[in-house]
Amino acid sequence: MENEMRSERDERGWTQAVLAERLGVSRQTVVALETGKYDPSLPLAFRIAEVFGKPIEELFFPNTGLKSGDQPRRSRV
């Protein structure tokens, strides 16, 4: 799963430690989430969305190479 956590955090000028404190997780968890090494549980995904003030679907997306707002390519048959 890909996510926009790092860019959202950077926009706010927060360190990973600040975000970790706001989420109630360790900084290592934030690192793992931002690098895609760990997918959040559903409750944690909701907390992340709440902290950033955005819907989950604007923060997380499948590993398709698409990000929020991108349109999927349509194959021609």
Side-chain angles (χ1 to χ4, degrees), residues 26-63:
S26 69
R27 190 185 65 78
Q28 289 78 15
T29 297
V30 170
V31 170
L33 290 165
E34 286 185 353
T35 58
K37 293 180 180 173
Y38 170 72
D39 290 334
S41 65
L42 191 54
L44 179 55
F46 275 107
R47 281 204 319 267
I48 293 166
E50 183 179 343
V51 164
F52 288 129
K54 295 201 165 189
I56 288 176
E57 62 269 19
E58 286 187 21
L59 297 171
F60 298 96
F61 19 85
N63 290 338

Side-chain angles (χ1 to χ4, degrees), residues 60-75:
F60 298 96
F61 19 85
N63 290 338
T64 61
L66 297 177
K67 295 191 175 184
S68 178
D70 288 350
Q71 296 296 318
R73 289 185 184 172
R74 295 183 181 196
S75 61

